[in-house]
Amino acid sequence: MGTLADLAGQALRRIRLQQARVELATALQQTMLPTLPKHLPGLEVAARYRPSRDGLDIGGDWYDAFVTPDGAIALEIGDAQGHDVDAAAFMGQVRSSMRAIAAQEPDPGTVLTRTNELLTTMDVARFASCTMLCIDPRGGRVTGTSAGHVPVLCAHRDGSHEVRELPGGPVLGVMPGIKYREETFALDEGTALVMVTDGVVEGPGLTLDAGLERAGTLAAQAVHDGLNAEQTADRILDAAIAVDHLDDVAVLVLRRT
């Protein structure tokens, strides 16, 4: 009985320690997720984040949206390698670096190029995928690039959608000397851009193509039904959680009104 009590006490201490680590990672990440800008002219923006709580599977996904010095709207979403406190800290470094660089050089390709240079010189043992868009709120012109991240979804008012795979380069923090290429396209009125992390569109029973098709269909139906950006983000997140939700997930939606 004494041995059993001792083993039970050790197990309880380990459970409490694990729970403390989970709570620390959660608090760390939540403090790093930004407050989105409000009252953007001609635009709606909404974001959702949900951690996976399987053990310490918390930490890698992030999003950001902010106004650049020239008046454009910058959007970014990404996924840092790992699911622990270190991943949350690394995610914060990447997001902060990108915002600081964008304050001087808002061009998305330049931001990813310089962020990659910074991470490779730091010799960190992690990498991150990322997509960055820069939107002119007046004319709807979008410039975007990607560092090995999930494609962007475009949802239209007629109920159709498309998967837009942006040019760019490999994930950040692995290969030095990479120049990230860009693409420019028009965002029509009423159209929504949906940016997600891989936990939304991939899982043990869900391939990437099938997941993108599902999320695109949900987003297009939401836009067709007249839902705003907040409601659209909720619909996509709820569907991701309901099926194969093993990874942490992030959704960022921008709709031109």
Side-chain angles (χ1 to χ4, degrees):
M1 290 293 292
T3 301
L4 288 174
D6 184 55
L7 291 174
Q10 293 179 30
L12 181 59
R13 286 193 293 272
R14 286 195 294 269
I15 291 171
R16 287 173 175 169
L17 177 60
Q18 180 75 350
Q19 182 62 30
R21 294 178 64 199
V22 170
E23 292 174 356
L24 172 61
T26 302
L28 178 62
Q29 184 167 55
Q30 290 296 336
T31 58
M32 292 180 180
L33 293 175
T35 300
L36 300 182
K38 300 181 183 297
H39 310 300
L40 297 174
L43 298 173
E44 295 177 349
V45 62
R48 297 290 185 271
Y49 170 76
R50 182 71 62 88
S52 169
R53 297 188 67 87
D54 180 12
L56 201 60
D57 282 350
I58 298 174
D61 291 7
W62 86 89
Y63 61 82
D64 203 357
F66 53 92
V67 181
T68 63
D70 62 0
I73 311 302
L75 301 176
E76 62 182 66
I77 194 166
D79 185 358
Q81 177 197 17
H83 299 91
D84 51 26
V85 176
D86 290 339
F90 179 65
M91 172 273 292
Q93 288 180 313
V94 177
R95 189 185 71 79
S96 299
S97 298
M98 291 181 64
R99 183 178 277 227
I101 294 169
Q104 304 297 324
E105 296 285 351
D107 180 73
T110 302
V111 172
L112 290 197
T113 296
R114 294 194 175 181
T115 301
N116 184 64
E117 291 172 355
L118 175 63
L119 294 178
T120 53
T121 57
M122 290 171 59
D123 194 28
V124 293
R126 293 180 184 267
F127 59 84
S129 66
C130 178
T131 291
M132 183 172 183
L133 304 178
C134 194
I135 298 98
D136 176 6
R138 297 171 295 274
R141 189 171 69 95
V142 182
T143 303
T145 185
S146 175
H149 198 67
V150 178
V152 175
L153 298 166
C154 298
H156 306 287
R157 282 188 294 192
D158 63 0
S160 65
H161 73 274
E162 61 189 84
V163 177
R164 183 173 289 274
E165 187 137 10
L166 297 170
V171 294
L172 302 171
V174 176
M175 297 177 61
I178 301 296
K179 302 295 183 183
Y180 289 84
R181 298 177 295 113
E182 300 173 338
E183 177 179 289
T184 299
F185 58 94
L187 181 65
D188 298 330
E189 291 185 4
T191 298
L193 292 176
V194 179
M195 305 164 70
V196 300
T197 54
D198 57 1
V200 177
V201 292
E202 284 187 297
L206 189 68
T207 65
L208 176 60
D209 289 341
L212 287 169
E213 179 63 26
R214 184 187 65 171
T217 300
L218 289 170
Q221 187 61 52
V223 172
H224 181 265
D225 292 344
L227 302 187
N228 61 24
E230 297 280 352
Q231 295 166 320
T232 301
D234 282 335
R235 181 172 289 189
I236 296 170
L237 181 65
D238 290 345
I241 292 172
V243 181
D244 296 326
H245 174 55
L246 298 178
D247 200 358
D248 44 341
V249 299
V251 178
L252 184 60
V253 176
L254 179 130
R255 179 174 171 268
R256 189 178 178 204
T257 58

